[in-house]
Amino acid sequence: LNGSGQLGDGTWTNRSVPTTVTLPSGQKFRDAGSNHTCASALNGAASCWGWNYFGQLGDGTTTGRLTPTAVTGLTSTQAMAAGWNHTCAVADGHVRCWGDNTYGQLGDGTWTARSAPVIVSGL
C-alpha cells in the first residue's frame, strides 16, 4: 500500500512490485513504520517520507511527504528505527525520537507529540 506516500516514489499509487525511490545522495534504506519510511546516509544525514500526522517524519511539520525529506537537526545518524507513528535515531551522540508520544514513547518525560527530534532523557 502507498496511501500515505510511504513508498517515496512521489505518488499515492499502490504498487505490487518493487519501486525505485530516489534518495538524497548516499542514503540507504533504514526502516519503515506503519505509514512512513526513513533512510540515513554514511555522512549522517537522515530523511523520512509518508504520513506525518504526529510529526513522525521529523521535519518540524505535520505535513505528509511523497518523497524523502530531511529530518531536522540530525548530522551524525548512526541508526534509525521507525515505529507505529514515531521514529528514533542514534545521532549526534544521543538517542533522539520524534512523532507520536501518547504513551511516552519518545522518552522525553512528556506525552507531547514532537515534529522534530528530541533527546531521550536518562540515557
Side-chain angles (χ1 to χ4, degrees), residues 25-27 40-46 74-77:
S25 179
Q27 290 198 345
S40 64
L42 293 176
N43 70 3
L74 297 187
T75 59
S76 182
T77 306

Side-chain angles (χ1 to χ4, degrees), residues 3-101:
S4 299
Q6 62 267 40
L7 295 183
D9 65 356
T11 74
W12 288 295
T13 304
N14 294 332
R15 307 286 182 188
S16 59
V17 296
T19 301
T20 300
V21 176
T22 303
L23 294 171
S25 179
Q27 290 198 345
K28 57 186 178 180
F29 174 76
R30 278 293 186 205
D31 206 7
S34 63
N35 292 300
H36 72 292
T37 309
C38 296
S40 64
L42 293 176
N43 70 3
S47 60
C48 295
W49 57 95
W51 196 51
N52 196 26
Y53 183 81
F54 295 99
Q56 61 266 42
L57 302 186
D59 66 350
T61 76
T62 54
T63 302
R65 308 292 180 177
L66 296 177
T67 56
T69 302
V71 175
T72 301
L74 297 187
T75 59
S76 182
T77 306
Q78 298 168 331
M80 292 181 76
W84 187 255
N85 289 316
H86 71 287
T87 309
C88 293
V90 176
D92 308 312
H94 299 281
V95 176
R96 299 172 187 263
C97 296
W98 56 95
D100 185 22
N101 200 22

Side-chain angles (χ1 to χ4, degrees), residues 87-121:
T87 309
C88 293
V90 176
D92 308 312
H94 299 281
V95 176
R96 299 172 187 263
C97 296
W98 56 95
D100 185 22
N101 200 22
T102 301
Y103 304 103
Q105 60 266 48
L106 301 186
D108 67 348
T110 75
W111 289 281
T112 303
R114 307 289 183 177
S115 62
V118 293
I119 294 174
V120 174
S121 59

